[in-house]
Amino acid sequence: MPQVIHTLVAIDAVRPATKHTVTRTLTDPDAPGPDALLADDPLAFDLATYAGAVACGTFLRHSSQGRPRWVMGHSVGDIAALAVAEAITPATGARILHTRHTLLRNLPPPAAPDSAGMLALALPVAEVTALLAVTGLHHTRPAGDNAPGQTVVSGPSHELKILHALARTAKIRCTRLASRTGYHHPHLSAIAEEFHTYLRTVDLRTPTVPLYSSALAGPVHTPARLRELAGHHLTRPVQFQASLHDLHRQGVNVFIDTGPGALLSPLVRATLPTATVIAPLRGHAAPHLVERRLNACAPLTPPVRQHRSE
């Protein structure tokens, strides 16, 4: 798979200050797992997740008998979506992540690590919004309307602890997400402004595949909006469920989850039970099995969805 090798080499050539290269992280069985990598070397985690999504998406786009109708990201996966659609190069996306890492590393409270985070609740977004209002957790906000039975919230750690305890008492399934901070939240407005200033300097080309924004639940066309797309995960909530329904109304019924671990596939199945969902990078598959899965779905022409990484 020359496209995969080319993508990994290009991203590793950026040489950011990480302990683990992308190639080793994705191919070495002894490389650290996602949780250990996120705790010890978060930039390497971001780059590996990005590289896996871009390599898989690029292979499918070039190998398909017809191009995908849309490319859509989820959260910071919007950066990978830009690369798959060739609006930016894989190396440019890596540099964007490096700049983002530098800004996040210097976050002051309340957005600093251990001061803010994210929690997934097995409830519709309307019920989560009502729960936050009733409990007086005014600094915690819905960050992702992912599926009929999953809403992600973002906020200060002390409020998330209260919400987690309330959910467990009410026997509502909830999970604290491994995340560097609370994304999709207004408390990142200052860093978002700096990040968008940087993004205005990024070389950007006309995408070869139309881009769809899950933050806006609509297509993105203009150069200015394409640049903003890479920073939406900082302050805008993800409207993933609404985006899936909109694409489905347009006749899209096949979705390929290109992210390592295929975490988005269950959300698509829960939202669109009749849709076909393909996840080439699910589980701990050997390279030959991944290649077989990629070749099996290459003739299809769905929107290629890029994985979130937070």
Side-chain angles (χ1 to χ4, degrees), residues 175-255:
T175 306
R176 184 69 184 260
L177 302 182
S179 177
R180 297 171 71 178
T181 185
Y183 294 98
H184 307 283
H185 196 287
H187 66 209
L188 291 177
S189 295
I191 183 178
E193 185 175 344
E194 291 186 60
F195 194 49
H196 285 303
T197 298
Y198 162 75
L199 290 172
R200 286 196 287 271
T201 70
V202 169
D203 183 32
L204 186 142
R205 299 166 295 187
T206 301
T208 58
V209 180
L211 280 158
Y212 193 98
S213 169
S214 60
L216 303 176
V220 179
H221 300 297
T222 67
R225 296 296 264 173
L226 287 169
R227 285 189 171 88
E228 289 178 8
L229 186 65
H232 281 162
H233 66 283
L234 294 173
T235 56
R236 286 182 177 270
V238 177
Q239 301 182 65
F240 193 57
Q241 186 176 185
S243 298
L244 293 174
H245 282 299
D246 184 37
L247 290 169
H248 193 252
R249 284 192 294 270
Q250 296 181 46
V252 176
N253 199 46
V254 179
F255 295 83

Side-chain angles (χ1 to χ4, degrees), residues 63-172:
S63 300
S64 179
Q65 295 178 7
R67 71 175 189 172
R69 289 181 60 182
W70 296 99
V71 174
M72 179 173 72
H74 184 290
S75 191
V76 73
D78 282 334
I79 300 173
L82 285 165
V84 171
E86 295 185 322
I88 59 175
T89 66
T92 296
R95 285 189 283 270
I96 291 173
L97 288 170
H98 186 267
T99 299
R100 172 182 177 270
H101 168 75
T102 301
L103 293 171
L104 289 171
R105 189 173 52 195
N106 299 321
L107 280 174
D114 300 326
S115 297
M118 307 183 78
L119 186 72
L121 295 162
L123 288 173
V125 67
E127 293 185 27
V128 170
T129 301
L131 179 62
L132 294 175
V134 168
T135 54
L137 301 177
H138 301 303
H139 298 290
T140 298
R141 312 286 180 86
D145 179 9
N146 283 336
Q150 190 194 94
T151 301
V152 172
V153 297
S154 176
S157 293
H158 68 277
E159 288 196 0
L160 294 183
K161 289 179 181 177
I162 295 171
L163 183 59
H164 192 276
L166 290 171
R168 289 176 66 88
T169 299
K171 300 188 184 307
I172 298 168

